[in-house]
Amino acid sequence: MNLTGAGATFPYPLYSRYFAEFHRRTGIAVNYQSIGSGGGQRQLRERTVHFGASDAYLTDEQMARYPGPVVHIPTAIGAVVPAYHLPGVKGPLRFSGPVLAGIFLGKVKRWDDPAIQQLNPGVRLPGLPITVVHRSDGSGTTFVWVEYLAKVSPQWARQVGVATSVAWPTGLGAKGNEGVAGVVRQTPGAIGYLELAYAVQNGLSYGAVQNAAGQFITADLKSLTEAADIPLPADTRVSLTNTPAPRGYPVASFTWLLVYRDLELTARSRDEAAALVRLLDWVVHEGQAFNEALHYGRLPAAAVQRAQALIAGLRYRGEPLGGQAPGRRS
């Protein structure tokens, strides 16, 4: 049995581990293409994959363009961090939301700009020009980043807005989190936004970001858990950016697997549909044991309960498939 999926690069390090382990335990192979959230959404809409993957939830307007209702299954909590390459600068720099917006708007152009220096007293900042690096493809990582910037900068909200792909005012484009990490690593003076795991894996410095409570927070497992401590709607479509949690990291997000409620839209048989349900159930239960070692937050109990209820509502030709917790048979 083979399943196919495509989408977000944000959780790709985690999904690679999930799917390899799931195959080892069940014999069900999962072919996942890390092509960006926009690509995953498109392939699900075109019904060329069993599931899409996205860090940006679909709006009601977007879902109206799909051939059937789409269910969002949360899998993990991730952080988007400002990763930079500044030779000789030790320790994490501090960034406020307005300063990050100024950098990505092209208004803050040098590392020794007083706006950055004021946030980092005692740090000797180089007089390097800032090279902004952003995604060139449709990206849930982009959505999370620009949604945060729009919440903290009225100018960003007016001039650029929020989407998986935006018209960048400045900077170099690169494909995928991998591409952004590569350009930042090779370019002194560069800054880009990356899912935390990619910054860690590439040995890149990343900054602490000031949250809504005024605290400078470095992304880690504790601050991600804090960010997700908010009421969760039944469909799990919720934003975690600019969290009010006093110790929460402000540029965090759930990441989701997207499937049709009516699985016959992508599954060719009941067995194929059952294998997909088995995968989803395994991810939100047993699979969570792999999250933290790869720098992703585990789903809080409320999110697991919501996910389990959504899985229980999946069906194939009108027959429910999600109520038997099949993922815990391995």
Side-chain angles (χ1 to χ4, degrees):
M1 180 71 67
N2 293 283
L3 298 173
T4 59
T9 67
F10 179 99
Y12 181 61
L14 179 62
Y15 286 0
S16 295
R17 182 63 190 275
Y18 278 169
F19 300 151
E21 187 67 20
F22 184 72
H23 182 228
R24 186 184 70 81
R25 296 188 185 196
T26 67
I28 300 170
V30 183
N31 175 22
Y32 180 73
Q33 299 174 20
S34 175
I35 60 173
S37 293
Q41 293 174 6
R42 183 183 65 254
Q43 289 205 19
L44 183 69
R45 188 172 63 247
E46 295 171 353
R47 299 164 58 186
T48 58
V49 291
H50 291 101
F51 64 87
S54 180
D55 322 309
Y57 58 80
L58 297 174
T59 65
D60 290 346
E61 181 182 0
Q62 288 173 317
M63 284 204 285
R65 298 196 291 267
Y66 284 68
V70 176
V71 175
H72 293 61
I73 306 298
T75 59
I77 310 161
V80 183
V81 299
Y84 54 87
H85 182 178
L86 283 180
V89 175
K90 305 290 186 183
L93 292 179
R94 291 179 165 193
F95 296 97
S96 67
V99 164
L100 287 171
I103 290 170
F104 280 79
L105 284 166
K107 295 173 61 180
V108 178
K109 299 177 182 294
R110 299 181 64 83
W111 281 103
D112 57 356
D113 187 289
I116 304 176
Q117 190 68 72
Q118 185 177 6
L119 297 174
N120 295 278
V123 178
R124 187 171 182 177
L125 293 167
L128 279 173
I130 296 174
T131 300
V132 169
V133 187
H134 56 74
R135 290 285 288 273
S136 61
D137 52 333
S139 161
T141 310
T142 293
F143 181 90
V144 175
W145 185 249
V146 300
E147 184 188 53
Y148 169 71
L149 295 182
K151 288 181 178 180
V152 298
S153 167
Q155 183 179 356
W156 186 277
R158 289 192 310 270
Q159 183 176 330
V160 184
V162 180
T164 55
S165 182
V166 298
W168 293 98
T170 189
L172 305 174
K175 187 174 182 179
N177 273 281
E178 305 95 328
V180 172
V183 175
V184 172
R185 188 175 60 244
Q186 296 165 16
T187 310
I191 184 170
Y193 56 93
L194 289 170
E195 201 287 322
L196 174 61
Y198 289 87
V200 172
Q201 290 173 1
N202 285 276
L204 294 171
S205 299
Y206 54 94
V209 182
Q210 191 174 34
N211 68 10
Q215 303 298 312
F216 289 93
I217 305 294
T218 302
D220 58 23
L221 296 174
K222 188 173 188 304
S223 63
L224 289 181
T225 300
E226 291 278 345
D229 187 19
I230 62 172
L232 191 61
D235 65 8
T236 78
R237 293 186 295 163
V238 68
S239 169
L240 303 182
T241 55
N242 207 33
T243 174
R247 300 301 302 171
Y249 181 70
V251 201
S253 178
F254 283 113
T255 190
W256 293 270
L257 294 180
L258 310 181
V259 297
Y260 287 108
R261 183 194 62 194
D262 302 303
L263 296 176
E264 66 269 17
L265 288 171
T266 55
R268 294 169 296 181
S269 68
R270 187 188 185 285
D271 286 347
E272 206 169 79
L276 178 56
V277 169
R278 186 174 185 184
L279 170 66
L280 298 173
D281 190 272
W282 185 88
V283 163
V284 301
H285 290 99
E286 283 81 354
Q288 295 298 298
F290 300 101
N291 289 26
E292 294 185 349
L294 292 169
H295 308 287
Y296 297 86
R298 294 174 68 116
L299 294 176
V304 173
Q305 292 171 0
R306 294 281 194 254
Q308 192 166 2
L310 291 169
I311 294 167
L314 300 177
R315 59 199 190 192
Y316 182 78
R317 301 192 186 283
E319 178 186 353
L321 292 170
Q324 302 172 6
R328 287 184 285 283
R329 299 195 303 265
S330 61

